[in-house]
């Protein structure tokens, strides 16, 4: 999973990126300090792995991972190449989802490209540039489809009609992800790889003094929340500055600090959970003395395809999957104990893997 962290210059993108990846992207009080995208790979927090690691006395624990890409700041005119627009647009196309960081704090020591803090204006500045970039792409495809209708083939007529509807939607300054679609149309829309068809987490970057408050009690954050709800996108609040400070602390001190702030989870934990939900992802687990590991798959993935995530041979030669629920396994203490109690299920090719399934694949190549 690759998430692009985007936003106007000086809204806290790089600070947030530093906090969640500890990658040390340069963070300065001027636009475009992030010129090349910074990439950080982070482990998905999953307490189940540590429990299974102790149970199996394993030599290695391998969590699932999320790749964060800190993308250079965007300004008005980016769709026409202003600022670092061309780099921005190229890098964002490669991500699975967008973490749109929005400034929701006042600080006279941190400049704003438009001199005032206005979350909705900032959101619309970026969304406009992304919509304009998509409009150009759709227009080219539409022209091509219209030309192909001359062949008389029905599929080109259907394609042209959909692209006309999409083009009209974008020209109304609405992102592609909000276009009402049938399942078939949604598949075609996804194949266009438009920037505004990507799912979004609007992330309100709040002041330290607002940590622990309900987002409805933070006026600027509430504006972002309502905007996200109206668009059917995800929303969360985070204090990038505090998260960066937390990232430097040992685990026990971090938990204590979070408790003092009235927060139960770190920003990374919440961001990863929100990202998984947004993209419809789950994790299944494999466990043994050599390694305990989490594997990320799409919700609804069947057993053979899940096996293929481990190795293509597992999918080709799939025989069955022996599965035990994580809760049952930890309660009974071992896979063999679960088997003796009849709690290990033998599932075939049509079984849909569930989050938290501990799986042993049987295959023959």
């Amino acid at each position: 999973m690759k998430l692009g962290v985007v936003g106007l210059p000086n809204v806290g993108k790089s600070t947030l990126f530093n906090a969640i990846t500890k990658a040390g992207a340069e963070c300065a009080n001027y636009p475009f300090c992030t010129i090349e995208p910074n990439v950080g790979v982070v482990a998905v927090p999953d307490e189940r792995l540590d429990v299974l690691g102790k149970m199996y006395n394993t030599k290695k624990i391998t969590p699932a991972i999320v790749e964060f890409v800190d993308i250079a700041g965007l300004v008005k005119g980016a769709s026409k190449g202003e600022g670092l627009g061309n780099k921005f647009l190229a890098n964002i196309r490669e991500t699975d989802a967008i973490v749109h960081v929005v400034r929701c704090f006042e600080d006279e020591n941190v400049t704003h490209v438009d001199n005032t803090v206005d979350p909705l204006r900032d959101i619309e500045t970026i969304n406009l540039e992304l919509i304009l970039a998509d409009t150009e792409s759709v227009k080219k495809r539409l022209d091509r489809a219209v030309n192909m209708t001359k062949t008389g083939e029905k599929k080109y007529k259907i394609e042209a009609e959909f692209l006309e509807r999409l083009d009209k939607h974008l020209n109304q300054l609405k992102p592609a992800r909000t276009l009402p679609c049938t399942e078939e149309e949604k598949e075609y829309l996804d194949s266009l790889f438009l920037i505004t068809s990507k799912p979004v987490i609007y992330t309100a970057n709040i002041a330290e003094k607002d940590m622990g408050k309900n987002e409805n009690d933070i006026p600027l954050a509430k504006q972002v929340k309502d905007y996200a709800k109206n668009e059917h996108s995800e929303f969360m609040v985070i204090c990038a500055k505090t998260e960066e400070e937390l990232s430097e602390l040992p685990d026990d001190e971090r938990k204590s600090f979070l408790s003092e702030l009235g927060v139960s989870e770190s920003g990374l934990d919440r961001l990863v959970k929100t990202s998984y939900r947004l993209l419809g992802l789950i994790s299944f687990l494999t466990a043994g003395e050599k390694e305990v590991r989490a594997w990320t798959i799409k919700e609804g993935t069947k057993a053979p395809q899940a096996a293929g995530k481990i190795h293509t041979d597992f999918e080709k030669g799939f025989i069955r999957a022996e599965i035990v629920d994580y809760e049952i396994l930890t309660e009974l203490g071992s896979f063999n104990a679960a088997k003796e109690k009849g709690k290990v299920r033998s599932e075939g090719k049509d079984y849909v893997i569930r989050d938290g399934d501990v799986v042993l694949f049987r295959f023959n190549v």
Side-chain angles (χ1 to χ4, degrees):
M1 180 166 65
K2 183 182 283 190
L3 303 175
V5 185
V6 306
L8 287 171
N10 295 344
V11 298
K13 297 187 326 308
S14 295
T15 304
L16 176 60
F17 180 81
N18 289 350
I20 57 183
T21 66
K22 300 182 184 178
E26 183 184 357
C27 183
N29 184 23
Y30 57 89
F32 311 132
C33 66
T34 309
I35 296 174
E36 293 295 334
N38 292 275
V39 179
V41 177
V42 298
V44 175
D46 194 336
E47 294 177 355
R48 298 174 299 191
L49 296 177
D50 293 328
V51 174
L52 291 176
K54 290 175 183 176
M55 181 186 297
Y56 282 86
N57 193 27
T58 192
K59 295 174 183 174
K60 183 181 180 183
I61 293 178
T62 306
I65 60 170
V66 176
E67 188 173 327
F68 286 94
V69 184
D70 180 29
I71 299 173
L74 191 65
V75 293
K76 291 175 184 175
S79 59
K80 303 298 182 185
E82 292 294 325
L84 299 171
N86 292 332
K87 284 178 176 288
F88 178 98
L89 297 173
N91 293 324
I92 200 173
R93 287 187 196 279
E94 299 171 4
T95 61
D96 298 308
I98 298 168
V99 178
H100 187 157
V101 183
V102 186
R103 179 170 169 174
C104 292
F105 65 89
E106 299 277 0
D107 187 340
E108 61 184 19
N109 296 315
V110 180
T111 60
H112 190 289
V113 288
D114 289 321
N115 298 318
T116 56
V117 177
D118 184 339
L120 298 186
R121 178 201 59 208
D122 293 355
I123 289 173
E124 288 170 0
T125 295
I126 284 194
N127 283 352
L128 174 62
E129 295 305 325
L130 302 185
I131 288 168
L132 290 174
D134 280 348
T135 300
E136 188 176 337
S137 177
V138 169
K139 185 64 177 170
K140 290 177 182 176
R141 288 178 179 270
L142 176 57
D143 289 344
R144 192 180 309 125
V146 169
N147 285 332
M148 293 301 292
T149 58
K150 296 172 185 176
T151 65
E153 287 193 53
K154 188 177 178 182
K155 67 176 182 178
Y156 295 120
K157 183 175 182 293
I158 295 172
E159 182 181 359
E161 287 174 351
F162 176 76
L163 288 170
E164 282 176 1
R165 184 154 60 90
L166 175 58
D167 185 53
K168 183 179 178 181
H169 185 80
L170 291 170
N171 280 312
Q172 292 172 344
L173 303 184
K174 297 176 182 178
R177 60 182 164 272
T178 64
L179 178 72
C181 290
T182 63
E183 283 297 320
E184 191 175 348
E185 288 173 339
K186 180 67 169 64
E187 284 185 23
Y188 177 69
L189 179 62
D190 290 342
S191 74
L192 299 178
F193 296 104
L194 299 177
I195 298 172
T196 66
S197 67
K198 296 180 185 297
V200 176
I201 304 171
Y202 289 103
T203 307
N205 185 17
I206 61 174
E208 287 182 287
K209 65 181 177 61
D210 291 328
M211 287 283 289
K213 288 184 183 178
N214 185 296
E215 57 258 23
N216 293 326
D217 297 326
I218 308 170
L220 294 176
K222 177 69 163 54
Q223 292 179 30
V224 180
K225 180 181 180 180
D226 291 344
Y227 187 97
K229 183 179 180 180
N230 187 54
E231 196 185 87
H232 302 293
S233 291
E234 291 284 351
F235 165 80
M236 62 178 288
V237 296
I238 202 166
C239 178
K241 188 176 180 182
T242 299
E243 292 295 334
E244 189 173 32
E245 292 170 1
L246 282 168
S247 71
E248 302 299 326
L249 298 176
D251 285 346
D252 54 344
E253 289 183 34
R254 187 182 304 126
K255 289 177 182 177
S256 176
F257 191 13
L258 284 170
S259 180
E260 288 175 18
L261 292 169
V263 180
S264 59
E265 294 179 295
S266 72
L268 174 59
D269 287 3
R270 289 185 291 114
L271 185 54
V272 168
K273 286 179 181 177
T274 304
S275 304
Y276 263 56
R277 183 170 65 248
L278 184 71
L279 294 171
L281 301 176
I282 61 171
S283 293
F284 73 90
L285 312 168
T286 54
E289 190 177 327
K290 287 185 178 180
E291 183 182 37
V292 167
R293 183 163 182 166
W295 303 86
T296 301
I297 56 172
K298 277 276 190 182
E299 199 168 0
T301 299
K302 291 185 178 180
Q305 287 69 50
K309 289 285 288 185
I310 299 174
H311 198 287
T312 52
D313 286 349
F314 282 31
E315 181 175 358
K316 290 175 185 175
F318 179 87
I319 299 173
R320 68 181 184 277
E322 294 181 7
I323 296 172
V324 59
D325 295 334
Y326 167 80
E327 290 79 7
I328 292 174
L329 177 60
T330 52
E331 181 185 333
L332 297 178
S334 73
F335 192 85
N336 287 337
K339 208 164 190 177
E340 288 172 8
K341 295 281 187 180
K343 299 297 184 180
V344 176
R345 310 188 308 276
S346 181
E347 303 286 2
K349 293 182 178 181
D350 291 329
Y351 176 74
V352 176
I353 298 290
R354 297 182 300 193
D355 186 68
D357 278 350
V358 182
V359 188
L360 175 63
F361 290 109
R362 299 294 185 184
F363 68 101
N364 183 30
V365 178

